[in-house]
Amino acid sequence: MKKALVCGAGGFIGGHLVNRLKSEGYWVRGVDLKENEYGNMSADEFVVGDLRDINVVRKTVTEDLDEIYQLAADMGGAGFVFTGDNDADIMHNSALCNLNVLDEASKKGVAKIFYSSSACMYPEYNQLDPDNPKCSEDSAYPAAPDSEYGWEKLFSERLFLTYQRNTGIDVKVARFHNIFGPQGTWDGGREKAPAAICRKVAMAKEGDAIEVWGDGLQTRSFLIVDECVEGIRRLMESDFNGPVNIGSEEMISINDFTKMIADISGKDLSIKNIEGPTGVRGRNSDNALIAEKLGWSPSEPLRKGVERTFQWISEQIAERERNGG
Ligand code: NAD
């Protein structure tokens, strides 16, 4: 039986990844600062611990592991990443987790390690035109991410690739593009646009205006978490190291995305564009490389994933209301 460690298993993608590995017959250890909020807790062993602490890392990164998935990071949506208020934490905490886990994995002779980078590492100058952003893997340099979160991801990508080069460890690096779905953060300040808009729409009354940050003409693509996990597993099983995009190519403006969610809700709602952090003007995954190297790329239509996510967030809100708000 293969043994895997999922770092960040208490988080959104980590929780789904644990379930996926379990369904494939793995023995799984999870580690995170916190248990999974939404009950994605199928790991055989779960360590509540801080990966900035080398003693926790020594205890959780053990010789018997076949694979490590390093997803732990201090992260959130635009309200967390683009205000500047959390920059020191983002850089320090995430870099320290990466430095500790990777070095320990290499010392303990773990064969393979996955690292989750982000599309936020792509240069801002290629993402100024909302209708025509460029995010092919080879467009990363000259580097100019628009956030410290992106710079940290770029540093850590390079860190992982140095270990690939200088030690025996097999490294896999993916750049995720806006992953969303059930069991993701939907409230509290760290939620990302899909969850935040689903929440606003679910809580709105007939005729309300939904507040959308910026002019809403900024574009993005969003990938349902199941396809993200599929991409992670395919990359891990391949002989390709990356970095490679794992994202959707179905680009949409944030206003149109909001209209889609309103339509799913069946409510008659309008949009009110307000000031707020928005990030780059346009971003879309470029899936040419993943299709070439893995013979696969995500294909589920956006609307299908949004329907499931909207349903789940509506249920969360109803449950919260039942429990007294
Ligand atoms: P998440 O915040 O739900 O999960 C990250 C987890 O890491 C959290 O549960 C957090 O508690 C844990 N963590 C943070 N610091 C830690 C520490 N010091 N020790 C132990 N655990 C710690 O985020 P997610 O959406 O599941 O993202 C997973 C990874 O994918 C992250 O590296 C993120 O940067 C990357 N990513 C996500 C997206 C996305 O759209 N969700 C996009 C690009 C990249």
Side-chain angles (χ1 to χ4, degrees), residues 11-13 32 34 50-51 71 73 116-117 149 153 179 192:
F12 167 49
I13 304 171
D32 201 295
K34 58 173 175 66
D50 189 337
L51 293 167
L71 284 84
S116 53
S117 181
Y149 172 74
K153 288 294 188 192
I179 313 303
K192 306 184 99 192

Side-chain angles (χ1 to χ4, degrees), residues 138-156:
D138 61 2
S139 70
Y141 297 96
D146 71 330
S147 65
E148 302 301 350
Y149 172 74
W151 278 106
E152 190 283 324
K153 288 294 188 192
L154 198 56
F155 160 76
S156 290

Side-chain angles (χ1 to χ4, degrees), residues 268-316:
D268 184 18
L269 303 169
S270 58
I271 291 173
K272 184 179 174 199
N273 293 108
I274 60 163
E275 285 271 308
T278 58
V280 293
R281 279 305 277 167
R283 174 169 292 153
N284 194 11
S285 187
D286 180 322
N287 290 349
L289 188 66
I290 193 169
E292 180 198 324
K293 298 292 183 184
L294 304 188
W296 172 89
S297 61
S299 58
E300 183 174 303
L302 174 62
R303 189 173 172 113
K304 216 173 136 203
V306 176
E307 282 170 354
R308 277 202 286 137
T309 308
F310 180 75
Q311 174 72 26
W312 180 80
I313 290 177
S314 301
E315 286 163 13
Q316 296 298 303

Side-chain angles (χ1 to χ4, degrees), residues 7-15 31-36 47 49-53 56 70-76 93-94 97-98 114-120 149 152-153 174-180 183-185 190 192 223 228:
C7 304
F12 167 49
I13 304 171
V31 57
D32 201 295
L33 287 172
K34 58 173 175 66
E35 292 195 344
N36 195 288
V47 178
D50 189 337
L51 293 167
R52 291 170 300 180
D53 178 350
V56 171
Q70 179 7 32
L71 284 84
D74 202 358
M75 67 94 69
N93 296 342
S94 300
C97 291
N98 290 324
F114 171 87
Y115 173 59
S116 53
S117 181
S118 163
C120 287
Y149 172 74
E152 190 283 324
K153 288 294 188 192
R175 295 171 178 161
F176 296 164
H177 289 244
N178 294 311
I179 313 303
F180 76 102
Q183 281 105 27
T185 306
R190 284 188 185 235
K192 306 184 99 192
L223 183 70
C228 172

